[in-house]
Amino acid sequence: MELKHLAIRELLKEADEETAKISDKGGIMDTDNSMIHNLFESLLNAFERRSSLTHGSFNQENEEGYPFISSFEKFLVNEEAPENFEQLVEAGMSQLAAAIAAPSARSATGGYVIFAVYGSDRADYLLAALVRDRSSIALNDSLQPTEVIEVNLEQLHQAARINITTFKQGKDSYLSFIGSKQKGEITHYFSTAFGCTDVTPSRKSTGELIKAAKDFCSQHDLGEKKEEIVEDVVSYLERQRSEKQTANLNDIENLFDAYIPPEQAETMAGTFGTFANGGPYNVSHEFQPHTSTINRFSKLKAKADNWQLDFTKKALGPAQSGKDIEFDEASGTLTLKRLPSKVLDQIRATLEEENG
């Protein structure tokens, strides 16, 4: 990874305070400094270990309400200029101070905010993260224990990463962000400050989840169980939707783990969440199941001049499959089996009317 810019600033706020202040300390750091590189690597590793990422894009319909967005676009005009990066950092800190002081984030506390622009052969990124310090123990020259304060880079309280390359290409989901696992709007102040309110649409997360389920089965020797597993995933989404509940990758991961053979459990158990949350699927850790997308995967609807079909796909199979609805490719016919008594009565009554 090439580290292009890095800045460290401090956001001052205690829990339940109504205001937040930006410290005069810190600023742009020397990226040639080995300690700065070590700090950046630790920060990046901590971010990439997080599996509960939410993906999305800027709320560009309301850029005036989120000044960071326009500041980011101005930065892209000349990414190499340190002064452009410094202006971007100042805009970010200003928005953070306003967001963390909002009533919904009143109990949140400040910390050190690290901004880093870096890149590889595949993409360039902007990463912004909030970290705090912790006390530790060291030995002085006389080998006496002494307390030291160190930055806790292992625990990210809030973070947002913008895929600069994807943003320039005009694609969706160029944004990934994390928050604490607490419930409530306090977890969203960091992403809100940067205009990261347009998270992955439920339609996209729903569709990509089902695609990830199929690919995971194919890549992990679960091909024979793929149809059954995908049906379970779709059923889970339908159940969550009908109960007006969100879908959660942890729940779906547990569903997958139940199908993993014991001999593969050590390497495969607990991995589906990370698989679906990462690229190319970028399924949000939690999302609302999308009705029409679920129906597209779970139901088959067809219509002709004199009839129409509407049934669940799991009821369909080829001839001699034993499914309730069988399709014979050779004759081009569809056979309905095990018709309920009520349906049979309706058919008989209709035929009697036609023949009477």
Side-chain angles (χ1 to χ4, degrees), residues 150-191:
E150 62 181 22
V151 177
N152 185 5
L153 294 172
E154 295 299 314
Q155 185 174 4
L156 301 184
H157 294 271
Q158 302 280 332
R161 182 167 71 174
I162 304 167
N163 186 321
I164 296 174
T165 302
T166 302
F167 177 82
K168 289 179 178 179
Q169 292 170 345
K171 296 180 180 179
D172 294 330
S173 299
Y174 46 78
L175 168 72
S176 304
F177 63 90
I178 64 173
S180 66
K181 294 184 179 180
Q182 304 173 27
K183 292 186 176 180
E185 292 188 33
I186 181 176
T187 63
H188 302 304
Y189 76 84
F190 199 82
S191 56

mmCIF file of all heavy atoms in Angstrom, residues 150-191:
data_model
loop_
_atom_site.group_PDB
_atom_site.id
_atom_site.type_symbol
_atom_site.label_atom_id
_atom_site.label_comp_id
_atom_site.label_asym_id
_atom_site.label_seq_id
_atom_site.Cartn_x
_atom_site.Cartn_y
_atom_site.Cartn_z
ATOM 1 N N GLU A 150 -1.304 4.980 25.492
ATOM 2 C CA GLU A 150 -1.063 4.646 24.094
ATOM 3 C C GLU A 150 -2.369 4.703 23.308
ATOM 4 O O GLU A 150 -3.466 4.573 23.860
ATOM 5 C CB GLU A 150 -0.447 3.254 23.962
ATOM 6 C CG GLU A 150 -1.323 2.141 24.481
ATOM 7 C CD GLU A 150 -0.669 0.772 24.355
ATOM 8 O OE1 GLU A 150 0.571 0.716 24.267
ATOM 9 O OE2 GLU A 150 -1.400 -0.236 24.342
ATOM 10 N N VAL A 151 -2.246 4.923 22.020
ATOM 11 C CA VAL A 151 -3.418 4.958 21.149
ATOM 12 C C VAL A 151 -3.886 3.532 20.915
ATOM 13 O O VAL A 151 -3.094 2.653 20.560
ATOM 14 C CB VAL A 151 -3.086 5.635 19.807
ATOM 15 C CG1 VAL A 151 -4.302 5.597 18.882
ATOM 16 C CG2 VAL A 151 -2.628 7.068 20.027
ATOM 17 N N ASN A 152 -5.177 3.311 21.127
ATOM 18 C CA ASN A 152 -5.743 1.976 20.955
ATOM 19 C C ASN A 152 -6.216 1.794 19.515
ATOM 20 O O ASN A 152 -7.368 2.068 19.181
ATOM 21 C CB ASN A 152 -6.911 1.787 21.930
ATOM 22 C CG ASN A 152 -7.466 0.371 21.870
ATOM 23 O OD1 ASN A 152 -6.932 -0.487 21.173
ATOM 24 N ND2 ASN A 152 -8.527 0.117 22.608
ATOM 25 N N LEU A 153 -5.312 1.333 18.663
ATOM 26 C CA LEU A 153 -5.640 1.150 17.252
ATOM 27 C C LEU A 153 -6.375 -0.159 16.989
ATOM 28 O O LEU A 153 -6.827 -0.402 15.871
ATOM 29 C CB LEU A 153 -4.365 1.197 16.418
ATOM 30 C CG LEU A 153 -3.642 2.549 16.397
ATOM 31 C CD1 LEU A 153 -2.302 2.423 15.697
ATOM 32 C CD2 LEU A 153 -4.498 3.605 15.708
ATOM 33 N N GLU A 154 -6.485 -1.002 18.021
ATOM 34 C CA GLU A 154 -7.179 -2.267 17.841
ATOM 35 C C GLU A 154 -8.687 -2.091 17.850
ATOM 36 O O GLU A 154 -9.426 -2.932 17.356
ATOM 37 C CB GLU A 154 -6.767 -3.249 18.953
ATOM 38 C CG GLU A 154 -5.307 -3.655 18.905
ATOM 39 C CD GLU A 154 -4.958 -4.357 17.599
ATOM 40 O OE1 GLU A 154 -5.723 -5.247 17.181
ATOM 41 O OE2 GLU A 154 -3.947 -3.995 16.986
ATOM 42 N N GLN A 155 -9.157 -1.017 18.420
ATOM 43 C CA GLN A 155 -10.596 -0.807 18.553
ATOM 44 C C GLN A 155 -11.017 0.477 17.832
ATOM 45 O O GLN A 155 -10.706 1.575 18.260
ATOM 46 C CB GLN A 155 -11.001 -0.734 20.036
ATOM 47 C CG GLN A 155 -12.507 -0.646 20.237
ATOM 48 C CD GLN A 155 -12.881 -0.728 21.704
ATOM 49 O OE1 GLN A 155 -12.004 -0.775 22.565
ATOM 50 N NE2 GLN A 155 -14.166 -0.747 21.995
ATOM 51 N N LEU A 156 -11.713 0.307 16.747
ATOM 52 C CA LEU A 156 -12.231 1.454 16.010
ATOM 53 C C LEU A 156 -13.656 1.720 16.475
ATOM 54 O O LEU A 156 -14.512 0.847 16.403
ATOM 55 C CB LEU A 156 -12.229 1.178 14.504
ATOM 56 C CG LEU A 156 -10.883 0.846 13.859
ATOM 57 C CD1 LEU A 156 -11.065 0.709 12.353
ATOM 58 C CD2 LEU A 156 -9.856 1.899 14.183
ATOM 59 N N HIS A 157 -13.899 2.922 16.927
ATOM 60 C CA HIS A 157 -15.241 3.254 17.402
ATOM 61 C C HIS A 157 -16.138 3.687 16.256
ATOM 62 O O HIS A 157 -17.336 3.388 16.249
ATOM 63 C CB HIS A 157 -15.156 4.342 18.473
ATOM 64 C CG HIS A 157 -14.470 3.876 19.713
ATOM 65 N ND1 HIS A 157 -15.146 3.286 20.752
ATOM 66 C CD2 HIS A 157 -13.166 3.865 20.073
ATOM 67 C CE1 HIS A 157 -14.294 2.954 21.710
ATOM 68 N NE2 HIS A 157 -13.078 3.289 21.311
ATOM 69 N N GLN A 158 -15.588 4.381 15.310
ATOM 70 C CA GLN A 158 -16.309 4.775 14.102
ATOM 71 C C GLN A 158 -15.282 4.840 12.975
ATOM 72 O O GLN A 158 -14.130 5.191 13.199
ATOM 73 C CB GLN A 158 -16.953 6.160 14.259
ATOM 74 C CG GLN A 158 -17.924 6.298 15.413
ATOM 75 C CD GLN A 158 -19.291 5.730 15.088
ATOM 76 O OE1 GLN A 158 -19.705 5.701 13.930
ATOM 77 N NE2 GLN A 158 -20.005 5.292 16.100
ATOM 78 N N ALA A 159 -15.705 4.521 11.770
ATOM 79 C CA ALA A 159 -14.793 4.631 10.631
ATOM 80 C C ALA A 159 -15.589 4.656 9.335
ATOM 81 O O ALA A 159 -16.668 4.055 9.240
ATOM 82 C CB ALA A 159 -13.794 3.472 10.603
ATOM 83 N N ALA A 160 -15.065 5.367 8.363
ATOM 84 C CA ALA A 160 -15.664 5.402 7.024
ATOM 85 C C ALA A 160 -14.540 5.331 6.006
ATOM 86 O O ALA A 160 -13.506 5.982 6.159
ATOM 87 C CB ALA A 160 -16.479 6.673 6.827
ATOM 88 N N ARG A 161 -14.744 4.520 4.979
ATOM 89 C CA ARG A 161 -13.759 4.418 3.904
ATOM 90 C C ARG A 161 -14.448 4.662 2.569
ATOM 91 O O ARG A 161 -15.487 4.064 2.285
ATOM 92 C CB ARG A 161 -13.080 3.050 3.898
ATOM 93 C CG ARG A 161 -12.016 2.953 2.796
ATOM 94 C CD ARG A 161 -11.127 1.747 2.958
ATOM 95 N NE ARG A 161 -11.806 0.501 2.679
ATOM 96 C CZ ARG A 161 -11.189 -0.685 2.641
ATOM 97 N NH1 ARG A 161 -9.889 -0.768 2.919
ATOM 98 N NH2 ARG A 161 -11.863 -1.781 2.395
ATOM 99 N N ILE A 162 -13.851 5.551 1.791
ATOM 100 C CA ILE A 162 -14.378 5.876 0.478
ATOM 101 C C ILE A 162 -13.447 5.288 -0.572
ATOM 102 O O ILE A 162 -12.240 5.552 -0.562
ATOM 103 C CB ILE A 162 -14.486 7.401 0.275
ATOM 104 C CG1 ILE A 162 -15.333 8.028 1.378
ATOM 105 C CG2 ILE A 162 -15.060 7.730 -1.094
ATOM 106 C CD1 ILE A 162 -15.242 9.537 1.444
ATOM 107 N N ASN A 163 -13.997 4.493 -1.439
ATOM 108 C CA ASN A 163 -13.230 3.959 -2.567
ATOM 109 C C ASN A 163 -13.195 5.049 -3.636
ATOM 110 O O ASN A 163 -14.175 5.259 -4.363
ATOM 111 C CB ASN A 163 -13.872 2.679 -3.107
ATOM 112 C CG ASN A 163 -13.032 2.004 -4.175
ATOM 113 O OD1 ASN A 163 -12.438 2.668 -5.014
ATOM 114 N ND2 ASN A 163 -13.002 0.686 -4.155
ATOM 115 N N ILE A 164 -12.095 5.774 -3.706
ATOM 116 C CA ILE A 164 -11.982 6.909 -4.617
ATOM 117 C C ILE A 164 -12.124 6.467 -6.070
ATOM 118 O O ILE A 164 -12.785 7.127 -6.883
ATOM 119 C CB ILE A 164 -10.638 7.636 -4.396
ATOM 120 C CG1 ILE A 164 -10.597 8.236 -2.976
ATOM 121 C CG2 ILE A 164 -10.415 8.720 -5.440
ATOM 122 C CD1 ILE A 164 -9.257 8.852 -2.613
ATOM 123 N N THR A 165 -11.522 5.348 -6.399
ATOM 124 C CA THR A 165 -11.570 4.847 -7.778
ATOM 125 C C THR A 165 -12.993 4.527 -8.187
ATOM 126 O O THR A 165 -13.447 4.907 -9.273
ATOM 127 C CB THR A 165 -10.682 3.600 -7.912
ATOM 128 O OG1 THR A 165 -9.338 3.929 -7.528
ATOM 129 C CG2 THR A 165 -10.685 3.075 -9.336
ATOM 130 N N THR A 166 -13.731 3.822 -7.336
ATOM 131 C CA THR A 166 -15.118 3.468 -7.637
ATOM 132 C C THR A 166 -15.984 4.708 -7.724
ATOM 133 O O THR A 166 -16.885 4.801 -8.573
ATOM 134 C CB THR A 166 -15.665 2.512 -6.567
ATOM 135 O OG1 THR A 166 -14.840 1.353 -6.509
ATOM 136 C CG2 THR A 166 -17.087 2.075 -6.889
ATOM 137 N N PHE A 167 -15.728 5.681 -6.846
ATOM 138 C CA PHE A 167 -16.487 6.927 -6.877
ATOM 139 C C PHE A 167 -16.311 7.636 -8.217
ATOM 140 O O PHE A 167 -17.278 8.117 -8.822
ATOM 141 C CB PHE A 167 -16.027 7.835 -5.737
ATOM 142 C CG PHE A 167 -16.690 9.186 -5.716
ATOM 143 C CD1 PHE A 167 -17.941 9.358 -5.150
ATOM 144 C CD2 PHE A 167 -16.066 10.288 -6.288
ATOM 145 C CE1 PHE A 167 -18.554 10.599 -5.141
ATOM 146 C CE2 PHE A 167 -16.664 11.536 -6.284
ATOM 147 C CZ PHE A 167 -17.916 11.692 -5.715
ATOM 148 N N LYS A 168 -15.079 7.697 -8.693
ATOM 149 C CA LYS A 168 -14.804 8.363 -9.965
ATOM 150 C C LYS A 168 -15.480 7.644 -11.133
ATOM 151 O O LYS A 168 -15.838 8.263 -12.140
ATOM 152 C CB LYS A 168 -13.292 8.425 -10.212
ATOM 153 C CG LYS A 168 -12.552 9.391 -9.307
ATOM 154 C CD LYS A 168 -11.061 9.351 -9.612
ATOM 155 C CE LYS A 168 -10.272 10.333 -8.779
ATOM 156 N NZ LYS A 168 -8.816 10.273 -9.055
ATOM 157 N N GLN A 169 -15.648 6.335 -11.001
ATOM 158 C CA GLN A 169 -16.261 5.551 -12.072
ATOM 159 C C GLN A 169 -17.785 5.658 -12.062
ATOM 160 O O GLN A 169 -18.448 5.118 -12.957
ATOM 161 C CB GLN A 169 -15.852 4.081 -11.931
ATOM 162 C CG GLN A 169 -14.368 3.845 -12.193
ATOM 163 C CD GLN A 169 -13.929 2.429 -11.825
ATOM 164 O OE1 GLN A 169 -14.640 1.702 -11.129
ATOM 165 N NE2 GLN A 169 -12.765 2.037 -12.300
ATOM 166 N N GLY A 170 -18.323 6.341 -11.045
ATOM 167 C CA GLY A 170 -19.764 6.533 -10.972
ATOM 168 C C GLY A 170 -20.536 5.301 -10.539
ATOM 169 O O GLY A 170 -21.744 5.190 -10.783
ATOM 170 N N LYS A 171 -19.864 4.365 -9.884
ATOM 171 C CA LYS A 171 -20.532 3.142 -9.442
ATOM 172 C C LYS A 171 -21.174 3.339 -8.069
ATOM 173 O O LYS A 171 -20.877 4.291 -7.362
ATOM 174 C CB LYS A 171 -19.534 1.975 -9.382
ATOM 175 C CG LYS A 171 -18.945 1.604 -10.733
ATOM 176 C CD LYS A 171 -17.982 0.447 -10.592
ATOM 177 C CE LYS A 171 -17.385 0.047 -11.928
ATOM 178 N NZ LYS A 171 -16.420 -1.069 -11.807
ATOM 179 N N ASP A 172 -22.060 2.402 -7.707
ATOM 180 C CA ASP A 172 -22.693 2.443 -6.393
ATOM 181 C C ASP A 172 -21.778 1.809 -5.349
ATOM 182 O O ASP A 172 -20.797 1.153 -5.666
ATOM 183 C CB ASP A 172 -24.025 1.673 -6.423
ATOM 184 C CG ASP A 172 -25.040 2.353 -7.326
ATOM 185 O OD1 ASP A 172 -24.982 3.590 -7.449
ATOM 186 O OD2 ASP A 172 -25.886 1.641 -7.895
ATOM 187 N N SER A 173 -22.143 2.007 -4.095
ATOM 188 C CA SER A 173 -21.480 1.337 -2.967
ATOM 189 C C SER A 173 -19.971 1.581 -2.939
ATOM 190 O O SER A 173 -19.179 0.658 -2.763
ATOM 191 C CB SER A 173 -21.771 -0.178 -3.002
ATOM 192 O OG SER A 173 -23.142 -0.411 -2.882
ATOM 193 N N TYR A 174 -19.568 2.829 -3.098
ATOM 194 C CA TYR A 174 -18.151 3.167 -2.979
ATOM 195 C C TYR A 174 -17.779 3.499 -1.543
ATOM 196 O O TYR A 174 -16.640 3.823 -1.239
ATOM 197 C CB TYR A 174 -17.802 4.350 -3.889
ATOM 198 C CG TYR A 174 -18.784 5.501 -3.818
ATOM 199 C CD1 TYR A 174 -18.767 6.404 -2.766
ATOM 200 C CD2 TYR A 174 -19.747 5.668 -4.809
ATOM 201 C CE1 TYR A 174 -19.674 7.445 -2.703
ATOM 202 C CE2 TYR A 174 -20.657 6.706 -4.764
ATOM 203 C CZ TYR A 174 -20.617 7.594 -3.706
ATOM 204 O OH TYR A 174 -21.520 8.624 -3.637
ATOM 205 N N LEU A 175 -18.749 3.417 -0.661
ATOM 206 C CA LEU A 175 -18.556 3.779 0.737
ATOM 207 C C LEU A 175 -18.759 2.577 1.640
ATOM 208 O O LEU A 175 -19.681 1.792 1.444
ATOM 209 C CB LEU A 175 -19.551 4.877 1.106
ATOM 210 C CG LEU A 175 -19.702 5.187 2.592
ATOM 211 C CD1 LEU A 175 -18.461 5.900 3.078
ATOM 212 C CD2 LEU A 175 -20.929 6.029 2.816
ATOM 213 N N SER A 176 -17.854 2.414 2.603
ATOM 214 C CA SER A 176 -18.021 1.395 3.640
ATOM 215 C C SER A 176 -17.839 2.080 4.984
ATOM 216 O O SER A 176 -16.922 2.879 5.151
ATOM 217 C CB SER A 176 -16.982 0.279 3.496
ATOM 218 O OG SER A 176 -17.036 -0.300 2.215
ATOM 219 N N PHE A 177 -18.705 1.777 5.916
ATOM 220 C CA PHE A 177 -18.501 2.370 7.232
ATOM 221 C C PHE A 177 -18.909 1.413 8.339
ATOM 222 O O PHE A 177 -19.662 0.472 8.144
ATOM 223 C CB PHE A 177 -19.232 3.712 7.368
ATOM 224 C CG PHE A 177 -20.730 3.668 7.254
ATOM 225 C CD1 PHE A 177 -21.519 3.477 8.371
ATOM 226 C CD2 PHE A 177 -21.349 3.850 6.033
ATOM 227 C CE1 PHE A 177 -22.894 3.448 8.273
ATOM 228 C CE2 PHE A 177 -22.727 3.832 5.917
ATOM 229 C CZ PHE A 177 -23.506 3.624 7.054
ATOM 230 N N ILE A 178 -18.350 1.652 9.515
ATOM 231 C CA ILE A 178 -18.628 0.838 10.691
ATOM 232 C C ILE A 178 -19.083 1.757 11.809
ATOM 233 O O ILE A 178 -18.876 2.967 11.782
ATOM 234 C CB ILE A 178 -17.393 0.043 11.159
ATOM 235 C CG1 ILE A 178 -16.279 1.012 11.614
ATOM 236 C CG2 ILE A 178 -16.893 -0.883 10.073
ATOM 237 C CD1 ILE A 178 -15.101 0.311 12.245
ATOM 238 N N GLY A 179 -19.702 1.168 12.778
ATOM 239 C CA GLY A 179 -20.103 1.892 13.982
ATOM 240 C C GLY A 179 -20.084 0.921 15.138
ATOM 241 O O GLY A 179 -19.840 -0.274 14.988
ATOM 242 N N SER A 180 -20.364 1.414 16.322
ATOM 243 C CA SER A 180 -20.411 0.537 17.476
ATOM 244 C C SER A 180 -21.624 -0.364 17.357
ATOM 245 O O SER A 180 -22.545 -0.108 16.586
ATOM 246 C CB SER A 180 -20.489 1.355 18.768
ATOM 247 O OG SER A 180 -21.708 2.057 18.829
ATOM 248 N N LYS A 181 -21.663 -1.426 18.154
ATOM 249 C CA LYS A 181 -22.764 -2.382 18.079
ATOM 250 C C LYS A 181 -23.948 -1.962 18.950
ATOM 251 O O LYS A 181 -24.929 -2.684 19.041
ATOM 252 C CB LYS A 181 -22.269 -3.772 18.485
ATOM 253 C CG LYS A 181 -21.248 -4.346 17.510
ATOM 254 C CD LYS A 181 -20.857 -5.749 17.884
ATOM 255 C CE LYS A 181 -19.850 -6.321 16.878
ATOM 256 N NZ LYS A 181 -19.448 -7.697 17.212
ATOM 257 N N GLN A 182 -23.848 -0.828 19.591
ATOM 258 C CA GLN A 182 -24.977 -0.334 20.351
ATOM 259 C C GLN A 182 -26.090 0.064 19.400
ATOM 260 O O GLN A 182 -25.867 0.411 18.256
ATOM 261 C CB GLN A 182 -24.573 0.892 21.178
ATOM 262 C CG GLN A 182 -23.413 0.666 22.100
ATOM 263 C CD GLN A 182 -22.976 1.970 22.734
ATOM 264 O OE1 GLN A 182 -23.762 2.887 22.883
ATOM 265 N NE2 GLN A 182 -21.724 2.038 23.098
ATOM 266 N N LYS A 183 -27.319 0.008 19.903
ATOM 267 C CA LYS A 183 -28.445 0.437 19.084
ATOM 268 C C LYS A 183 -28.693 1.914 19.310
ATOM 269 O O LYS A 183 -28.359 2.476 20.329
ATOM 270 C CB LYS A 183 -29.696 -0.369 19.433
ATOM 271 C CG LYS A 183 -29.600 -1.839 19.017
ATOM 272 C CD LYS A 183 -30.908 -2.548 19.245
ATOM 273 C CE LYS A 183 -30.834 -3.981 18.746
ATOM 274 N NZ LYS A 183 -32.118 -4.702 18.956
ATOM 275 N N GLY A 184 -29.324 2.528 18.337
ATOM 276 C CA GLY A 184 -29.643 3.947 18.474
ATOM 277 C C GLY A 184 -28.855 4.792 17.506
ATOM 278 O O GLY A 184 -27.885 4.355 16.896
ATOM 279 N N GLU A 185 -29.263 6.042 17.383
ATOM 280 C CA GLU A 185 -28.663 6.921 16.388
ATOM 281 C C GLU A 185 -27.235 7.320 16.727
ATOM 282 O O GLU A 185 -26.522 7.820 15.879
ATOM 283 C CB GLU A 185 -29.529 8.177 16.234
ATOM 284 C CG GLU A 185 -30.888 7.888 15.602
ATOM 285 C CD GLU A 185 -31.622 9.172 15.294
ATOM 286 O OE1 GLU A 185 -30.969 10.175 14.969
ATOM 287 O OE2 GLU A 185 -32.854 9.176 15.407
ATOM 288 N N ILE A 186 -26.814 7.086 17.973
ATOM 289 C CA ILE A 186 -25.438 7.412 18.347
ATOM 290 C C ILE A 186 -24.449 6.689 17.436
ATOM 291 O O ILE A 186 -23.360 7.201 17.145
ATOM 292 C CB ILE A 186 -25.187 7.036 19.824
ATOM 293 C CG1 ILE A 186 -23.757 7.390 20.227
ATOM 294 C CG2 ILE A 186 -25.429 5.568 20.060
ATOM 295 C CD1 ILE A 186 -23.469 7.124 21.698
ATOM 296 N N THR A 187 -24.821 5.506 16.955
ATOM 297 C CA THR A 187 -23.900 4.726 16.130
ATOM 298 C C THR A 187 -23.721 5.307 14.740
ATOM 299 O O THR A 187 -22.840 4.891 14.010
ATOM 300 C CB THR A 187 -24.402 3.276 15.988
ATOM 301 O OG1 THR A 187 -25.659 3.305 15.312
ATOM 302 C CG2 THR A 187 -24.584 2.627 17.337
ATOM 303 N N HIS A 188 -24.552 6.284 14.378
ATOM 304 C CA HIS A 188 -24.522 6.778 13.013
ATOM 305 C C HIS A 188 -23.912 8.173 12.863
ATOM 306 O O HIS A 188 -23.858 8.686 11.755
ATOM 307 C CB HIS A 188 -25.946 6.800 12.442
ATOM 308 C CG HIS A 188 -26.618 5.465 12.463
ATOM 309 N ND1 HIS A 188 -26.084 4.351 11.881
ATOM 310 C CD2 HIS A 188 -27.794 5.067 13.017
ATOM 311 C CE1 HIS A 188 -26.898 3.331 12.058
ATOM 312 N NE2 HIS A 188 -27.939 3.728 12.744
ATOM 313 N N TYR A 189 -23.473 8.779 13.948
ATOM 314 C CA TYR A 189 -23.044 10.173 13.830
ATOM 315 C C TYR A 189 -21.823 10.323 12.931
ATOM 316 O O TYR A 189 -21.676 11.313 12.227
ATOM 317 C CB TYR A 189 -22.770 10.788 15.208
ATOM 318 C CG TYR A 189 -21.469 10.371 15.857
ATOM 319 C CD1 TYR A 189 -20.269 11.016 15.551
ATOM 320 C CD2 TYR A 189 -21.426 9.351 16.796
ATOM 321 C CE1 TYR A 189 -19.081 10.642 16.144
ATOM 322 C CE2 TYR A 189 -20.253 8.976 17.391
ATOM 323 C CZ TYR A 189 -19.080 9.617 17.070
ATOM 324 O OH TYR A 189 -17.909 9.241 17.644
ATOM 325 N N PHE A 190 -20.963 9.328 12.933
ATOM 326 C CA PHE A 190 -19.735 9.428 12.145
ATOM 327 C C PHE A 190 -20.050 9.392 10.652
ATOM 328 O O PHE A 190 -19.582 10.231 9.876
ATOM 329 C CB PHE A 190 -18.803 8.276 12.511
ATOM 330 C CG PHE A 190 -17.361 8.497 12.120
ATOM 331 C CD1 PHE A 190 -16.531 9.251 12.925
ATOM 332 C CD2 PHE A 190 -16.843 7.955 10.968
ATOM 333 C CE1 PHE A 190 -15.193 9.452 12.578
ATOM 334 C CE2 PHE A 190 -15.519 8.147 10.609
ATOM 335 C CZ PHE A 190 -14.695 8.905 11.424
ATOM 336 N N SER A 191 -20.865 8.431 10.256
ATOM 337 C CA SER A 191 -21.213 8.341 8.837
ATOM 338 C C SER A 191 -22.075 9.519 8.409
ATOM 339 O O SER A 191 -21.943 10.017 7.287
ATOM 340 C CB SER A 191 -21.944 7.026 8.560
ATOM 341 O OG SER A 191 -23.083 6.903 9.380
#
